[in-house]
């Protein structure tokens, strides 16, 4: 990871003055205002969000999932800034609120380092809506578990075969040497170590050692497992994906990982999943919270990349019309007003080898990229074991590249067309097939029918007028 | 009385805690109330309406939680000075007692919170242990509260084994027959429920109340 002078805070250009150091953030976690968790959720977070939505002119329009409205994007940004400066982040271990005033947030945004590199020196660049800059594209099994080491190797080979992939996200292991991994037990630590060693070996085998692992260490969410990752192959050119707890909460486990990441010089992807239908309410509230999480990502999670994955509370995906609007508006709000690179994480409802899964992946990719974000693809709603395939991510990345430089209005038409093919199925999506049925586990090569489906859908999109690489 | 009751119902549906508390105090002060009648005619239907509004997408999780808090505050006022006889009657009329929590190692609790709110709205008595709950804590709380059902949520594949562990503990301590055990959470499935010997599984939060009724019959 190549940020100049990155330790526990970033210095102002041409000066030694520091904005808000991480140590100061920890101090606020230890000494901030006290609140019970439920009180924070209902009387602070939800109450302020309701007030903000009355104050600002933010309206969801289902007919325009990808709005071309800069005023709306900036309004969402300002609403998010006011919201976060009033609400802050709740620390579960101290029952205290970590608060930053508006000036502190604005200063942190202004002082954000503009150069971030991962892997073998490749930069992940901040983008703008309709930017021609190619997005960073990360592929992998986000939050999905595979049953054993053989499937893990096979699916990783398949992902690494994607020529447009800039980084890889490893899945978790359900078993290690045939034993079921149990949370918080030594088996979980063994599983976590295995994900790193296997991933590094496999990437080397297929001559893709250049691909950075973007999620640090999988299988264990513990700070201990994260910290030992570097003993087994994670290097500062990889990244740590550190997710917030919904909504606007952190704990010491997360802050310990941040401490480790900062001191090791590993870039942090500040993850956050605002829940539509949860405390965020509808699309408008979710867009504001999704934007506000970028400030938390900067000041609490100390991210060098903001990594949002807003989700539907009921359907656990972000391919629906309302969530595409949230992704688009929040990405536009952040990319227009900060230099923080954005890596939107897609969550499909349908499983691998289904027509619907391809359409969903394409819609999210287009929505993210034309709105100023890069892309990670993909999570899956049910996260069923072994339900991972390489061709939906491949297709999504091709769409992402094609969407660079596209007009938002054109992307809106494309997304509407894609939505018409799947949105009614979101409540009852097809589960798809297991990796063992999608690919040859030994080589990672997709099976014939899967490849046929991929080619068919590619052709559909090309017939629509999108040129794919 | 009817007007005050309707006003109370409306305040709970609107999640207006202060107004609901004011009306509850007025009911206690100025009317010769029948607590059971207030609960059955106005409060339970209010929570049912809130649950339905959540199901149809008109209400969000925050409304469910706020209505639940409002209901709790109102009940505190109504139950403060009731007779032992009324208290006994109320106890008999309550639905099943459920001990619920997210299992050890799992800090995801939003889905579980939705289930808690919907179960309360459906009239069940719910003991929410929160998140990251050790297996033995479920067993001990179920015994202390004389629960009918233990509900176990897991959002990660690595925490699912703790759902199995609670059932094993019940088995090994000779208490399995005392409780129905139901499970849920993203990576769980009917097959998993069957494999670990759970009495029921629901794929969504909105199926939870129906599942409890179903397992209580069996």
């Amino acid at each position: 990871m190549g940020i100049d002078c990155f330790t526990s805070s970033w210095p102002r250009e041409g000066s030694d003055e520091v904005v808000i150091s991480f140590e100061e953030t920890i101090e606020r976690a230890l000494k901030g205002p006290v609140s019970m968790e439920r009180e924070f959720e209902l009387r602070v977070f939800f109450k302020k969000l309701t007030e903000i939505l009355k104050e600002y002119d933010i309206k969801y329009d289902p007919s325009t999932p990808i709005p071309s409205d800069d005023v709306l994007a900036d309004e969402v940004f300002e609403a998010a800034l006011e919201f976060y400066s009033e609400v802050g982040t709740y620390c579960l271990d101290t029952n205290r609120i970590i608060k930053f005033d508006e000036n502190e947030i604005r200063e942190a945004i202004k002082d954000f380092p503009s150069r971030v590199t991962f892997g073998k020196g490749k930069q992940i660049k901040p983008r703008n809506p309709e930017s021609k800059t190619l997005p960073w594209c990360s592929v992998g099994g986000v939050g999905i578990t595979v049953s054993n080491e053989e499937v893990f190797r096979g699916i990783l080979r398949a992902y690494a075969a994607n020529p447009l992939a800039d980084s890889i996200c490893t899945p978790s292991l359900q078993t290690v040497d045939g034993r079921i991994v149990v949370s918080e037990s030594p088996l979980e630590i063994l599983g976590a170590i295995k994900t790193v060693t296997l991933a590094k070996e496999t990437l080397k085998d297929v001559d893709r050692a250049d691909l950075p692992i973007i999620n640090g260490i999988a299988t264990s969410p513990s700070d201990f497992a994260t910290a030992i990752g570097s003993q087994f192959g994670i290097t500062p050119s990889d990244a740590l994906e550190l997710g917030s707890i919904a909504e606007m909460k952190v704990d010491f486990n997360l802050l310990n990982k941040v401490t480790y990441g900062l001191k090791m010089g590993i870039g942090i992807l500040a993850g956050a999943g605002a829940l539509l239908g949860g405390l965020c309410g509808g699309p408008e509230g979710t867009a504001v919270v999704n934007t506000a999480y970028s400030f938390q990502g900067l000041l609490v999670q100390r991210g060098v990349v903001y990594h949002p994955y807003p989700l539907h509370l009921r359907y656990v995906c972000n391919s629906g019309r309302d969530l595409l609007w949230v992704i688009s508006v929040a990405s536009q709000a952040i990319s227009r007003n900060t230099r923080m690179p954005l890596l939107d994480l897609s969550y499909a409802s349908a499983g691998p080898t289904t027509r619907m899964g391809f359409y969903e992946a394409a819609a999210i990719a287009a929505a993210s990229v034309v709105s100023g974000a890069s892309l990670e693809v993909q999570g899956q709603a049910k996260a069923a074991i072994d339900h991972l395939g390489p061709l939906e991510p491949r297709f999504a990345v091709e769409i992402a590249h094609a969407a660079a430089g596209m007009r938002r209005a054109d992307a809106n038409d494309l997304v509407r067309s894609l939505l018409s093919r799947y949105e009614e199925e979101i409540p009852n999506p097809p589960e798809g097939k297991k990796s063992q049925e999608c690919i040859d586990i030994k080589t990672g090569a997709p099976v014939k029918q899967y490849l046929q489906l991929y080619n068919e859908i590619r052709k559909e999109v090309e017939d629509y007028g999108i040129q794919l690489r | 009385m009817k007007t005050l009751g309707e006003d109370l119902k409306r305040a709970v549906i609107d999640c207006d805690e202060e107004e609901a508390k004011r009306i509850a105090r007025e009911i206690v002060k100025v009317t010769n109330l029948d607590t059971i009648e207030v609960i059955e005619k106005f409060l339970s239907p209010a929570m049912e309406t809130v649950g339905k509004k959540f199901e149809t997408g008109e209400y969000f999780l925050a409304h469910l939680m706020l209505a639940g808090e409002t209901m709790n505050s109102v009940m505190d006022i109504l139950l403060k000075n009731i007779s032992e006889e009324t208290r006994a009657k109320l106890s008999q009329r309550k639905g099943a007692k459920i001990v619920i929590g997210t299992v050890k190692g799992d800090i995801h609790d939003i889905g579980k919170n939705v289930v808690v709110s919907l179960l309360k709205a459906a009239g069940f008595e719910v003991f929410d242990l929160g998140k990251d709950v050790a297996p033995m804590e479920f067993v001990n709380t179920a015994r202390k509260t004389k629960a009918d059902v233990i509900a176990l949520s897991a959002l990660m594949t690595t925490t699912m084994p703790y759902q199995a562990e609670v059932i094993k503990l019940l088995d090994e301590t000779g208490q399995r027959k005392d409780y129905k055990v139901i499970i849920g959470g993203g990576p769980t499935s009917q097959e998993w429920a069957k494999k670990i010997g759970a009495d029921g599984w629901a794929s969504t939060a909105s199926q939870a109340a129906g599942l409890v009724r179903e397992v209580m019959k069996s």
Side-chain angles (χ1 to χ4, degrees):
Chain A
M1 203 271 303
I3 294 170
D4 301 335
C5 309
F6 193 84
T7 53
S8 60
S9 55
W10 41 90
R12 194 166 289 181
E13 261 175 54
S15 148
D16 290 336
E17 197 184 338
V18 155
V19 184
I20 296 283
S21 69
F22 182 59
E23 289 80 353
E24 176 61 27
T25 297
I26 298 303
E27 196 74 8
R28 293 184 192 191
L30 294 166
K31 293 180 180 167
V34 177
S35 172
M36 294 314 288
E37 187 179 356
R38 185 54 62 93
E39 187 187 329
F40 175 78
E41 289 172 335
L42 296 179
R43 320 272 174 228
V44 180
F45 183 98
F46 185 67
K47 184 168 178 275
K48 187 65 200 172
L49 188 59
T50 308
E51 287 168 14
I52 287 275
L53 292 176
K54 279 184 190 152
E55 190 184 332
Y56 288 83
D57 185 24
I58 302 166
K59 289 277 172 291
Y60 165 57
D61 173 8
S63 69
T64 316
I66 316 294
S68 307
D69 185 348
D70 292 345
V71 175
L72 171 67
D74 294 347
E75 188 83 348
V76 167
F77 185 82
E78 289 303 318
L81 199 60
E82 186 183 333
F83 172 74
Y84 188 61
S85 66
E86 294 276 336
V87 171
T89 295
Y90 187 71
C91 179
L92 289 161
D93 283 297
T94 59
N95 301 107
R96 290 178 186 274
I97 302 173
I98 308 167
K99 290 193 81 167
F100 306 96
D101 66 34
E102 205 173 308
N103 279 339
E104 289 171 332
I105 302 168
R106 286 193 194 276
E107 285 298 302
I109 292 167
K110 205 166 76 186
D111 284 34
F112 184 78
S114 54
R115 288 199 313 115
V116 183
T117 57
F118 292 106
K120 302 287 178 197
K122 192 167 180 188
Q123 276 193 37
I124 175 165
K125 293 175 184 160
R127 303 177 68 253
N128 291 112
E130 303 183 7
S131 166
K132 287 181 181 161
T133 304
L134 286 179
W136 180 282
C137 292
S138 191
V139 299
V142 182
I144 299 177
T145 301
V146 294
S147 53
N148 58 50
E149 292 90 335
E150 192 189 15
V151 181
F152 185 96
R153 273 195 213 96
I155 195 70
L156 229 62
R157 275 193 196 100
Y159 286 136
N162 184 339
L164 301 182
D166 295 304
S167 55
I168 199 153
C169 176
T170 61
S172 297
L173 278 167
Q174 189 191 21
T175 61
V176 183
D177 298 326
R179 289 190 168 83
I180 295 239
V181 171
V182 178
S183 173
E184 295 187 2
S185 76
L187 283 170
E188 188 184 61
I189 301 300
L190 288 174
I193 293 168
K194 199 77 173 221
T195 57
V196 178
T197 54
L198 273 181
K200 290 285 180 184
E201 277 168 28
T202 309
L203 292 175
K204 202 173 160 198
D205 285 349
V206 295
D207 210 20
R208 288 302 311 263
D210 61 307
L211 278 180
I213 296 176
I214 210 90
N215 58 332
I217 194 154
T219 302
S220 170
S222 75
D223 47 3
F224 178 69
T226 300
I228 59 170
S230 51
Q231 299 289 315
F232 295 92
I234 292 295
T235 71
S237 67
D238 295 305
L240 288 183
E241 212 169 41
L242 302 182
S244 172
I245 301 162
E247 296 291 355
M248 294 268 159
K249 295 175 200 167
V250 294
D251 59 10
F252 279 166
N253 182 54
L254 173 60
L255 296 175
N256 290 342
K257 293 187 213 176
V258 174
T259 309
Y260 160 77
L262 292 173
K263 291 299 173 193
M264 286 300 293
I266 301 179
I268 292 167
L269 269 58
L275 288 170
L276 192 150
L279 294 176
C280 300
E284 295 90 345
T286 312
V288 170
V289 175
N290 194 29
T291 306
Y293 266 125
S294 69
F295 312 136
Q296 176 184 294
L298 203 54
L299 284 156
V300 180
Q301 291 152 276
R302 298 280 147 171
V304 292
V305 173
Y306 176 44
H307 188 42
Y309 42 93
L311 292 171
H312 197 287
L313 179 72
R314 205 172 297 230
Y315 308 131
V316 203
C317 64
N318 51 27
S319 57
R321 187 178 291 264
D322 43 9
L323 258 312
L324 291 171
W325 183 86
V326 168
I327 288 171
S328 176
V329 168
S331 298
Q332 292 183 46
I334 298 162
S335 64
R336 280 178 51 78
N337 291 283
T338 77
R339 288 179 299 164
M340 197 173 188
L342 261 165
L343 188 69
D344 285 349
L345 168 53
S346 72
Y347 263 80
S349 170
T353 69
T354 62
R355 199 164 272 276
M356 179 174 172
F358 279 99
Y359 294 144
E360 289 180 280
I364 302 165
S368 297
V369 172
V370 295
S371 304
S374 285
L375 181 73
E376 179 166 48
V377 57
Q378 73 185 2
Q380 203 257 322
K382 264 307 273 180
I385 290 170
D386 288 338
H387 278 66
L388 284 169
L391 294 182
E392 291 82 0
R394 182 165 181 157
F395 180 59
V397 169
E398 288 165 349
I399 293 281
H401 277 235
M406 191 184 277
R407 288 171 58 240
R408 281 170 284 182
D410 294 335
N412 187 55
D413 291 341
L414 169 65
V415 164
R416 280 165 50 117
S417 165
L418 289 162
L419 275 166
S420 70
R421 297 164 206 225
Y422 71 79
E423 69 181 323
E424 282 179 9
E425 304 301 319
I426 288 177
N428 295 299
E431 199 178 65
K433 291 182 179 167
K434 289 187 172 187
S435 309
Q436 297 89 319
E437 301 164 276
C438 299
I439 58 171
D440 176 338
I441 287 294
K442 296 273 179 244
T443 64
V447 300
K448 197 176 159 194
Q449 299 95 314
Y450 189 25
L451 211 49
Q452 260 172 4
L453 180 62
Y454 161 76
N455 284 324
E456 266 174 48
I457 293 171
R458 258 183 73 99
K459 187 166 182 315
E460 263 181 55
V461 171
E462 284 181 326
D463 289 347
Y464 177 88
I466 306 293
Q467 230 178 349
L468 298 174
R469 277 174 68 176
Chain B
M1 168 63 200
K2 193 182 170 193
T3 312
L4 276 179
E6 289 295 343
D7 289 348
L8 181 63
K9 182 179 169 187
R10 173 50 48 199
V12 172
I13 293 170
D14 291 346
C15 311
D16 188 342
E17 188 173 0
E18 288 313 308
E19 178 66 0
K21 278 157 67 177
R22 187 193 65 73
I23 299 166
R25 282 190 210 101
E26 205 178 327
I27 288 174
V28 171
K29 200 169 147 190
V30 303
T31 64
N32 187 13
L33 88 161
D34 179 334
T35 309
I36 292 174
E37 196 183 329
V38 174
I39 293 169
E40 289 188 348
K41 281 196 176 162
F42 304 108
L43 287 178
S44 297
M47 289 306 288
E48 267 174 42
T49 304
V50 170
K52 279 180 192 153
K53 281 175 180 275
F54 178 76
E55 289 305 315
T56 58
E58 187 184 341
Y59 269 15
F60 302 117
L61 171 62
H63 300 108
L64 267 183
M65 290 163 73
L66 281 168
E69 299 261 303
T70 303
M71 173 87 170
N72 288 344
S73 299
V74 166
M75 291 295 276
D76 285 347
I77 294 166
L78 294 180
L79 299 183
K80 205 170 176 182
N81 296 312
I82 59 167
S83 66
E84 279 309 310
E85 189 191 350
T86 311
R87 202 175 291 277
K89 271 188 200 167
L90 265 176
S91 179
Q92 283 167 7
R93 287 169 188 244
K94 274 183 182 164
K97 279 185 194 171
I98 302 159
V99 168
I100 188 169
T102 305
V103 297
K104 184 175 165 64
D106 214 320
I107 57 161
H108 303 88
D109 68 348
I110 289 188
K112 183 267 299 168
N113 290 343
V114 176
V115 173
V116 168
S117 299
L118 290 173
L119 289 173
K120 282 183 179 172
F124 296 111
E125 193 173 358
V126 183
F127 298 89
D128 181 6
L129 298 179
K131 56 202 165 201
D132 192 14
V133 181
M136 194 54 99
E137 200 178 336
F138 283 104
V139 176
N140 288 340
T141 309
R143 192 175 54 232
K144 273 184 211 155
T145 58
K146 297 185 177 144
D148 303 293
V149 177
I150 299 175
L152 308 166
S153 169
L155 264 291
M156 292 153 64
T157 49
T158 53
T159 59
M160 283 163 56
Y162 287 115
Q163 294 180 320
E165 180 62 16
V166 173
I167 295 172
K168 273 193 223 158
L169 280 177
L170 290 171
D171 265 334
E172 288 170 27
T173 56
Q175 299 176 76
R176 180 66 185 88
K177 64 181 185 319
D178 298 340
Y179 311 102
K180 302 290 181 187
V181 180
I182 59 174
I183 65 162
T188 64
S189 62
Q190 184 65 60
E191 295 75 48
W192 172 247
K194 199 175 166 193
K195 186 175 173 186
I196 66 174
D199 298 298
W201 168 79
S203 65
T204 65
S206 50
Q207 294 168 1
L211 178 65
V212 170
R213 288 189 197 102
E214 197 184 304
V215 297
M216 288 302 291
K217 277 188 214 156
S218 62

